Amino acid sequence: MGDVDAELKILIIGDSNCGKSCLLMRFTDDTFDEHMGPTIGVDFKNKMLTLNGQQVKLTVWDTAGQDRFKTLTASYYRGAHGVILVYDVTRRATFEHIIPWLNEANVYCDDNVVKMLVANKIDEPRQVSTDEGRALAREKNMLFIECSAKTKVGVQQAFEELAQQVLDTPELYQSPSSGAGVDVSSSSSGQLNGDVCGC
Amino acid sequence: MTSLRRASEEDRDHEGHDETDMHNVFEIVDFSTATDWEKVTAEFERAFRAWKLHTLDSKAVKPHNVRATEPIEAKLAGRKYRVSFKTTARAAPRPVSSEMLRRLDASFHGEAPGVMRWALATNFDFDPDAHVIQARLGIPEFVVLEPAETTYGDKISVSESKMLLSALVTAAANVGMDIPVFTQVFEARSKQFFGHCAGLGWSITYDGVQLPVVPKANAHIQGLLTLFHSKLTHLTSHVKAYVSVKFTYSVRNWMLDWARSSPGSIEGKPAEQRYHAPVRLPVGALGESLDCLYLACAWPHFREDVLLDDSLHSELTPTTAPSWWLSVERRKKRPRCKLERMLRNFMELCHTTATFKELLGSSAYVDEDEDTPDLGRNALRALTKPQPGSGIADDVVKAGRTLGARFGTVVGQTVRHVRTARTSDSGDGSALESKEIDDILGHMFIHQDDWSEKHAAAWLMDRCKTAPKQGLLHRLATYMACVDTYSGGLESVATLWSEFVMEIRWHWENLKPLPRMPNRAAPDMTSCLLQQKLELINTCIKRKKDRQASRSSETTDQGASKREGGGGRDDHHNHNHDDDDDDDDDDDDGDDDEFFVCPEDEEGVKKRLQDLKRRAAENPEQFAAREETMAKPLGVKEVHPTLVLLDSDAPLNIPRTQEPGPLTEDMVTRQLAQMAEMGDSEQAAALRAQMQSTSLRSDMEAFKAANPGCKLGDFIRWHSPKDWVKDEETGETGLSERMRDPKNLWHALWRDALPVPVSQQRLLFDVTAEAEGALTYLENITMQDLARQLFPSLLEEVYARLQDEVKEEASPASLAVLHASLKHLSSRLGHNLDEDIDRYEDIIARFAEVEHELSVFSSLVRQLGPNQIPLCEQLLNDGRCLVLEESHRDAVLRVFASFANENDLPRPERREFIFRAIADQGAYRMYASLQDHSFDIAGAFTAPQLV
Ligand SMILES: Nc1nc2c(ncn2[C@@H]2O[C@H](COP(=O)(O)OP(=O)(O)OP(=O)(O)O)[C@@H](O)[C@H]2O)c(=O)[nH]1
Ligand SMILES: [Mg+2]
């Protein structure tokens, strides 16, 4: 803990089977496991990142996209700094479901939580174009990135970009509501805020 | 001039002024301070130049658009003065008559100086918003000197004032500007100034006088005209002056309008009736808001010979004056309001850390204690039975109340401590009586005609945790706040809460669903925790009741063979799963409490039979074969419309499943914290998946029971269709890549799952334990926690109450806007209102502002009558309004007349006059204000030519 400058809580949400768990695995372990079953309930992984010389600990929570497992989700949003909304470019329906997912996030999250729209499986033939994804992200005030958990493209950038954006949003730190495992000491947050503005 | 000054001297003699004649102003040079005087003159000059006053063209038609100038401070003889340049950019001067202006211009052989034209102007006449110099003398821009320090009073003596004026005049002459300069004389409140302005070949002197009485000779237009004419330097008897007049009337000491109680509210009712009907929160100010209502009747201007007004006779009849202005003056400090007081009192509860057990004494919760009769819950049972007058019910109620009364006497130290801290006007102190508690509980739990599901939507505070509108907790919040302010404070609040909890327990124990509760599967986590707990209890009540209902219908209906499973056979074994732990602490129902019971509805059975028949008709051989070989499906909810099992052609049956138990936020938070503690190792992840798979296992077992001979693939096609995929190349269908690995948890769970219909599964959700847990939460809550959770609901109720008021009073749009802004305000509150507790103060103040405006408006409406809404609206928004129409004037007249106990307007409180004339020398103007104890004159007089 001593060398951690900031701890961020990130959530991944989106329909079942669009690759949320694979994205997380790729990010934390740099592996792609096609045999990992559908997520049951919620799970999380930790990962250290170095951003602008700061040690940032990400706790990334992954949820089941299946409705039958959705009981835990509401308070799982609590204290989140960033939310990743994933859709699968090979299945249009998953893109169309982004709006309900976003609404849910808006109900339970702080106003200034950073949201990122992620288009996954771009290694496969698509049903959703880049422009459509970008347009939705712009309209709803989200970051946007396309990636593939399988080929690695864009995954690291997605998480780093999101973390960076969170660090650039000082309100997220000043908010007194801190959920489980999220704690930024006031001195380090001050430092953070000072450091990131240059980039 | 002489007569004027003499009046002033007489007036001020006792104050020790020994003043010289105004004509000598420029001769005064006190050589002892000559250097000081010169210095200050130079300072003034510098300021004038800095302000660029010398560049201003006094003949410009409109006042200049000067940049805002900073006042300067200057020192003379050890005293500091502030000199400022005042300007009001306005339209060109509007003279009383254009003919007059033409004559003035002519006497200057072209265009008269600006200040002279402005002396004739009416722009600022009687304008309450204008500077006194503007209002009295008509000048839009001028320099004025006032004391900068007022530690020793703000009075400037006459000699001091004149010396300073001479410095200002000299400085003005030196920079060559013709902007008038003024110095204050006497105290600021006397509004007296000396002034001067000079140009090439002309000068104007501004002078004034104040007397404590109106000289008889000057008490009317005729007398004032004589004075005015005497100031016109030459013999100009033919000159006709123009006169403007304003009479002001006032009404103070309103009837104590605020003292009336709001209709239908609990104020002023005897204790036993206060809560008889559902309460309406009392609204309105707790003190007077308005200081004064003014009526100004004005005659804009007329020639002096048009209307006669002298000591014997007056043709000035205010009722027919051309313009009537009504204006209202508010108290500087707004009075407290009723809802505001209630909210502030409630805030105190938000800071009371004691638990209710502490507040009421430890014997308050008696449910487990066999020695104490079970009175609390009987109370409501009695209430629930609509048998008024039934002796037994009454007795039970009384007995229950004895208990309530006992709570009151064991109230601990904390209560007294808090109560003594209350201010005296914080409300009515008489404590809650048992009859009142009955009434209140009745309004909460019994009469619920106005509650419907659609109310459940969040509305005012969509971002902070509250409870469904008009729901049970809203009711509770409302009554708690009422009881707190009007019926005994904390003590009564504590009693009410303990009664409330007992009623909840009674509902649980008697399986009566809670009233005013939204009907949803899981508690909404945007609600406050208390609401979530109540919803949890309600779910427990319903589930347990359903189970009992289905069980009892099974026992009464012996033909229950058709009820469960397919094939029309009785497969309802109902053997006791009396395995490991005995968590049956529930004595009033059976041992099989923890098993799922699913009533099969008639509709479903019929549909299913039809389905089977259809399929059998479509493929008779196969169907028959299958029927014979397979075990009987159990716990089927319905037949899947299209799917058929992989290894046979039997239809895929959708099983009945167990709904997972609803979770309240605190439970989820606890679970998440537990999970977080486990760390992110692979084993931990596996364990977490195990932990969370009980529901999945239950689904699998139910599915196996409903589909004998099925495979994982069948389950997946129903449960997670996306994981049943078609291989593009081979065209074969099968489990998706991620499902295929036999090592993954899904396979493991499937292997272990036994075919068990939900009716024989252990319950995922133990209603008894959950309900008891939630009740324990209610019983152990602290006052602070309770109040903080209820506060948003109370705010919503207050908001709604104000809205009613806005509608009722046909109130102006401005109030609706103001009210709507409250919504905006509170929607900015975050989820954790608990942590925002300090922001409540601000919110209460904003609510109070709306409440107060409403009260001002209704007070105005009551004064002026319901037909004068537009007038009241203007008065509310702008503070004044023009009264033109006859009917409006009548209404206003009535108000003023009634306050004076007359039929007509009373004697005016103040009469003001402005006289304007031109003579060869230039423009003349005189302002006069006549009141009972003051006579005030200010004038602008053209001085004799200096050259
Ligand atoms: N081609 C391709 N396949 C991917 C990619 N990412 C994931 N997948 C596949 O998509 C399937 C689903 O991935 P998961 O990560 O389990 O999906 P999920 O969103 O976590 O699903 P739930 O846990 O049910 O909500 C896996 O079988 C992966 O093989 C990708 O970038 N490209
Ligand atoms: Mg997953």
Side-chain angles (χ1 to χ4, degrees):
Chain A
M1 251 315 267
D3 51 352
V4 174
D5 296 299
E7 287 191 33
L8 308 185
K9 177 178 175 179
I10 309 288
L11 311 182
I12 313 183
I13 56 178
D15 275 7
S16 180
N17 217 346
C18 51
K20 297 184 295 295
S21 304
C22 288
L23 281 169
L24 181 55
M25 278 293 274
R26 172 61 81 193
F27 173 60
T28 55
D29 301 19
D30 198 15
T31 56
F32 182 69
D33 177 4
E34 276 191 299
H35 302 290
M36 182 177 43
T39 308
I40 295 170
V42 302
D43 201 9
F44 74 94
K45 287 218 164 261
N46 294 324
K47 166 98 174 173
M48 292 299 299
L49 274 186
T50 309
L51 285 176
N52 317 317
Q54 306 279 330
Q55 286 299 104
V56 182
K57 179 179 171 190
L58 298 190
T59 300
V60 187
W61 288 81
D62 175 28
T63 36
Q66 291 183 4
D67 279 346
R68 199 85 188 127
F69 297 119
K70 271 191 68 175
T71 45
L72 268 184
T73 42
S75 68
Y76 140 101
Y77 286 96
R78 196 133 179 255
H81 298 98
V83 176
I84 296 178
L85 297 103
V86 186
Y87 66 93
D88 174 351
V89 291
T90 69
R91 281 182 299 138
R92 196 165 182 90
T94 64
F95 177 66
E96 275 149 13
H97 290 163
I98 286 296
I99 294 293
W101 282 110
L102 183 64
N103 290 342
E104 188 181 288
N106 285 337
V107 168
Y108 296 113
C109 286
D110 264 13
D111 282 337
N112 37 29
V113 70
V114 178
K115 280 162 281 189
M116 172 179 261
L117 183 63
V118 170
N120 190 34
K121 305 198 192 178
I122 53 169
D123 54 296
E124 298 254 346
R126 23 162 111 232
Q127 288 184 357
V128 185
S129 73
T130 307
D131 284 347
E132 285 174 286
R134 191 180 294 128
L136 180 66
R138 188 173 301 139
E139 183 195 329
K140 302 294 181 185
N141 225 339
M142 299 184 275
L143 301 170
F144 178 66
I145 199 160
E146 296 207 310
C147 64
S148 163
K150 191 171 187 173
T151 65
K152 230 170 136 165
V153 168
V155 178
Q156 189 72 17
Q157 290 93 310
F159 284 90
E160 282 178 4
E161 178 80 7
L162 181 67
Q164 184 65 62
Q165 189 72 32
V166 171
L167 297 180
D168 291 347
T169 311
E171 298 91 302
L172 278 171
Y173 289 106
Q174 266 117 49
S175 140
S177 60
S178 56
V182 180
D183 181 31
V184 179
S185 74
S186 55
S187 62
S188 65
S189 73
Q191 232 176 334
L192 274 174
N193 298 342
D195 274 4
V196 288
C197 49
C199 15
Chain B
M1 182 69 61
T2 344
S3 71
L4 253 171
R5 189 83 330 258
R6 211 174 299 128
S8 163
E9 278 158 27
E10 283 158 17
D11 172 24
R12 299 290 169 183
D13 262 348
H14 61 279
E15 294 185 48
H17 296 297
D18 51 338
E19 294 315 333
T20 47
D21 197 320
M22 261 300 274
H23 293 287
N24 299 332
V25 161
F26 305 113
E27 277 97 53
I28 298 177
V29 178
D30 181 347
F31 288 101
S32 63
T33 57
T35 40
D36 274 357
W37 186 88
E38 277 158 15
K39 261 192 240 157
V40 86
T41 306
E43 238 170 284
F44 293 159
E45 239 185 275
R46 235 174 291 129
F48 294 167
R49 282 187 212 281
W51 295 338
K52 297 205 162 47
L53 298 187
H54 55 291
T55 64
L56 301 183
D57 176 9
S58 72
K59 290 186 182 177
V61 180
K62 284 186 185 176
H64 307 91
N65 240 336
V66 194
R67 272 163 283 107
T69 54
E70 271 297 304
I72 60 145
E73 285 193 355
K75 225 172 177 174
L76 184 66
R79 191 170 183 192
K80 257 198 213 154
Y81 303 94
R82 186 177 48 250
V83 180
S84 33
F85 174 60
K86 310 253 177 183
T87 178
T88 315
R90 295 206 179 204
R94 286 190 302 274
V96 273
S97 87
S98 46
E99 195 266 340
M100 248 172 118
L101 193 60
R102 242 190 334 275
R103 273 179 31 225
L104 180 67
D105 283 347
S107 72
F108 278 84
H109 311 292
E111 204 165 86
V115 280
M116 293 224 187
R117 301 170 132 247
W118 279 104
L120 300 179
T122 58
N123 302 40
F124 299 100
D125 283 8
F126 310 122
D127 182 349
D129 296 335
H131 189 281
V132 58
I133 290 176
Q134 292 172 328
R136 294 182 171 190
L137 303 171
I139 311 154
E141 33 188 40
F142 53 91
V143 169
V144 62
L145 175 144
E146 294 145 320
E149 281 171 338
T150 52
T151 339
Y152 301 106
D154 63 354
K155 184 172 170 177
I156 299 188
S157 72
V158 174
S159 58
E160 197 181 350
S161 181
K162 283 182 177 169
M163 177 149 51
L164 288 159
L165 183 65
S166 72
L168 284 171
V169 168
T170 308
N174 288 351
V175 297
M177 69 180 207
D178 46 12
I179 304 285
V181 290
F182 288 88
T183 54
Q184 177 190 315
V185 58
F186 310 125
E187 295 88 351
R189 70 179 153 76
S190 74
K191 296 177 180 171
Q192 294 266 74
F193 297 89
F194 290 147
H196 188 80
C197 186
L200 202 61
W202 59 269
S203 78
I204 293 188
T205 301
Y206 301 97
D207 193 8
V209 67
Q210 199 167 46
L211 294 180
V213 282
V214 179
K216 267 226 164 63
N218 302 114
H220 38 72
I221 292 184
Q222 211 49 55
L224 291 165
L225 269 173
T226 312
L227 182 62
F228 183 59
H229 281 293
S230 75
K231 307 313 289 180
L232 310 186
T233 35
H234 285 238
L235 280 177
T236 44
S237 54
H238 60 285
V239 169
K240 291 279 181 258
Y242 277 82
V243 190
S244 304
V245 183
K246 173 182 159 189
F247 285 8
T248 308
Y249 303 84
S250 73
V251 169
R252 288 169 214 274
N253 304 322
W254 295 78
M255 285 180 292
L256 301 177
D257 182 65
W258 51 268
R260 63 168 66 219
S261 50
S262 18
S265 83
I266 63 174
E267 295 167 292
K269 283 188 189 162
E272 68 279 7
Q273 284 170 26
R274 277 186 294 197
Y275 299 99
H276 197 67
V279 291
R280 278 184 95 208
L281 299 174
V283 183
L286 283 161
E288 189 53 78
S289 326
L290 302 179
D291 235 2
C292 194
L293 185 66
Y294 291 108
L295 172 65
C297 303
W299 292 258
H301 43 79
F302 53 86
R303 234 174 63 175
E304 63 169 76
D305 47 2
V306 172
L307 287 174
L308 178 68
D309 180 52
D310 62 20
S311 57
L312 298 172
H313 184 73
S314 177
E315 288 170 0
L316 291 173
T317 43
T319 38
T320 57
S323 91
W324 273 34
W325 281 96
L326 194 60
S327 61
V328 63
E329 193 176 286
R330 295 190 179 203
R331 284 266 158 97
K332 295 225 165 49
K333 194 167 175 292
R334 124 177 121 62
R336 290 228 300 167
C337 297
K338 293 172 187 169
L339 290 172
E340 179 192 18
R341 174 180 64 175
M342 200 184 70
L343 289 172
R344 287 200 196 285
N345 285 348
F346 205 85
M347 271 293 281
E348 288 182 19
L349 301 180
C350 292
H351 290 109
T352 303
T353 48
T355 65
F356 283 91
K357 283 188 176 164
E358 286 161 6
L359 290 173
L360 293 168
S362 54
S363 59
Y365 294 94
V366 291
D367 40 295
E368 255 107 40
D369 190 348
E370 282 306 313
D371 301 339
T372 318
D374 199 4
L375 300 169
R377 25 196 142 141
N378 288 341
L380 193 92
R381 196 167 354 191
L383 289 171
T384 333
K385 286 191 200 126
Q387 297 168 341
S390 138
I392 301 160
D394 281 354
D395 286 345
V396 175
V397 171
K398 269 188 217 117
R401 292 311 146 227
T402 319
L403 192 63
R406 191 159 61 79
F407 293 167
T409 57
V410 283
V411 166
Q413 295 274 303
T414 335
V415 177
R416 258 169 232 121
H417 174 72
V418 173
R419 283 190 54 74
T420 47
R422 281 277 168 90
T423 52
S424 57
D425 72 330
S426 60
D428 185 335
S430 72
L432 208 51
E433 291 178 16
S434 56
K435 165 78 171 65
E436 298 174 275
I437 298 179
D438 293 345
D439 283 342
I440 292 172
L441 292 176
H443 297 315
M444 284 196 252
F445 287 93
I446 301 171
H447 316 292
Q448 49 168 314
D449 29 294
D450 54 341
W451 158 258
S452 76
E453 191 71 21
K454 71 176 191 318
H455 284 137
W459 53 301
L460 171 60
M461 308 205 222
D462 36 15
R463 299 289 302 164
C464 81
K465 288 181 183 290
T466 170
K469 182 186 173 192
Q470 297 195 353
L472 190 57
L473 284 185
H474 268 234
R475 279 287 153 112
L476 176 67
T478 306
Y479 283 101
M480 233 176 217
C482 273
V483 162
D484 181 35
T485 294
Y486 295 96
S487 307
L490 185 57
E491 196 173 317
S492 300
V493 168
T495 307
L496 181 59
W497 170 249
S498 75
E499 294 281 343
F500 180 87
V501 174
M502 280 194 274
E503 298 308 352
I504 299 291
R505 181 171 279 288
W506 184 87
H507 275 75
W508 157 242
E509 287 173 358
N510 293 279
L511 301 187
K512 300 264 184 278
L514 297 176
R516 302 175 178 276
M517 280 284 146
N519 195 7
R520 46 194 174 204
D524 181 351
M525 299 205 188
T526 58
S527 303
C528 63
L529 187 57
L530 198 56
Q531 174 68 24
Q532 296 181 35
K533 293 287 181 192
L534 291 183
E535 286 185 31
L536 180 72
I537 293 173
N538 209 26
T539 307
C540 293
I541 292 172
K542 283 185 192 152
R543 288 207 187 171
K544 191 166 174 181
K545 195 179 168 189
D546 283 351
R547 223 162 55 234
Q548 283 189 351
S550 70
R551 199 179 296 133
S552 68
S553 71
E554 271 159 35
T555 48
T556 52
D557 179 11
Q558 288 307 316
S561 51
K562 284 199 194 111
R563 306 206 116 263
E564 179 66 28
R569 210 148 314 146
D570 186 3
D571 42 43
H572 199 80
H573 314 287
N574 220 358
H575 49 76
N576 275 349
H577 250 248
D578 240 347
D579 35 19
D580 32 49
D581 54 329
D582 188 0
D583 53 321
D584 250 345
D585 46 9
D586 218 282
D587 26 64
D588 55 343
D589 53 276
D591 318 338
D592 48 356
D593 198 22
E594 67 272 29
F595 296 103
F596 193 85
V597 173
C598 42
E600 184 130 79
D601 55 304
E602 298 287 282
E603 205 60 46
V605 174
K606 245 187 255 159
K607 191 167 167 282
R608 174 140 191 273
L609 283 173
Q610 275 169 4
D611 266 334
L612 285 174
K613 274 186 199 144
R614 181 174 54 78
R615 286 184 178 229
E618 276 164 17
N619 204 340
E621 290 98 347
Q622 267 185 4
F623 188 76
R626 190 244 163 205
E627 276 292 273
E628 274 164 28
T629 53
M630 301 309 260
K632 297 293 168 279
L634 300 178
V636 177
K637 185 168 143 220
E638 59 191 340
V639 173
H640 196 283
T642 53
L643 293 180
V644 169
L645 293 187
L646 292 167
D647 280 0
S648 74
D649 288 315
L652 190 150
N653 290 322
I654 298 174
R656 293 186 172 284
T657 50
Q658 286 203 48
E659 277 311 305
L663 292 176
T664 53
E665 194 173 8
D666 53 338
M667 299 169 166
V668 180
T669 309
R670 220 177 303 127
Q671 280 193 21
L672 283 174
Q674 266 170 20
M675 287 191 210
E677 246 168 52
M678 292 161 69
D680 70 342
S681 70
E682 219 163 290
Q683 297 95 303
L687 197 58
R688 271 194 292 271
Q690 277 286 350
M691 270 167 55
Q692 297 176 86
S693 61
T694 46
S695 174
L696 181 59
R697 186 183 296 117
S698 153
D699 285 356
M700 283 179 171
E701 295 197 330
F703 188 85
K704 278 190 171 179
N707 295 284
C710 64
K711 295 167 59 178
L712 177 60
D714 294 317
F715 178 73
I716 293 299
R717 283 186 303 153
W718 162 63
H719 200 274
S720 180
K722 279 168 203 143
D723 284 303
W724 189 253
V725 292
K726 190 174 189 173
D727 191 303
E728 293 298 335
E729 284 150 39
T730 64
E732 279 175 24
T733 53
L735 287 173
S736 68
E737 193 65 42
R738 64 172 182 169
M739 276 294 186
R740 228 171 282 163
D741 185 356
K743 287 197 299 293
N744 90 27
L745 186 58
W746 290 66
H747 284 268
L749 288 171
W750 182 256
R751 277 192 300 275
D752 295 346
L754 298 168
V756 184
V758 281
S759 62
Q760 288 160 45
Q761 288 179 9
R762 287 197 74 82
L763 279 179
L764 295 180
F765 178 67
D766 179 347
V767 285
T768 305
E770 295 298 343
E772 285 301 333
L775 281 162
T776 306
Y777 170 83
L778 301 186
E779 286 162 0
N780 291 329
I781 200 167
T782 62
M783 181 71 253
Q784 165 177 304
D785 195 13
L786 176 66
R788 286 177 187 215
Q789 291 193 49
L790 290 179
F791 203 95
S793 294
L794 182 60
L795 273 185
E796 290 192 324
E797 286 293 324
V798 169
Y799 175 84
R801 184 69 184 86
L802 289 172
Q803 186 154 44
D804 286 350
E805 208 69 5
V806 166
K807 282 185 195 142
E808 260 170 40
E809 289 281 7
S811 61
S814 61
L815 281 181
V817 170
L818 194 61
H819 179 260
S821 74
L822 295 180
K823 182 169 167 56
H824 182 68
L825 176 84
S826 30
S827 67
R828 284 207 312 264
L829 286 171
H831 284 177
N832 285 322
L833 225 125
D834 210 21
E835 288 154 0
D836 274 347
I837 196 83
D838 293 338
R839 289 172 67 185
Y840 284 148
E841 285 297 341
D842 176 47
I843 287 171
I844 293 174
R846 295 286 302 274
F847 272 66
E849 190 190 324
V850 177
E851 184 180 11
H852 181 243
E853 289 300 295
L854 272 163
S855 136
V856 169
F857 181 73
S858 65
S859 173
L860 286 169
V861 171
R862 268 190 278 270
Q863 292 303 331
L864 296 172
N867 298 327
Q868 309 305 321
I869 299 282
L871 284 192
C872 299
E873 184 171 346
Q874 269 193 56
L875 283 178
L876 180 78
N877 294 338
D878 308 334
R880 59 182 152 149
C881 64
L882 197 55
V883 188
L884 289 171
E885 283 177 39
E886 203 62 38
S887 65
H888 293 171
R889 285 195 174 191
D890 284 348
V892 173
L893 192 68
R894 268 198 304 279
V895 173
F896 281 82
S898 74
F899 272 92
N901 281 324
E902 286 172 33
N903 295 324
D904 202 349
L905 282 174
R907 230 163 58 80
E909 184 177 278
R910 182 179 195 183
R911 291 179 294 151
E912 290 166 281
F913 303 88
I914 297 173
F915 300 90
R916 281 168 270 236
I918 58 159
D920 321 332
Q921 303 285 325
Y924 296 80
R925 175 180 177 121
M926 187 176 88
Y927 165 86
S929 159
L930 284 64
Q931 279 169 282
D932 273 355
H933 299 292
S934 94
F935 179 67
D936 229 322
I937 301 271
F941 305 108
T942 301
Q945 300 277 341
L946 291 176
V947 276

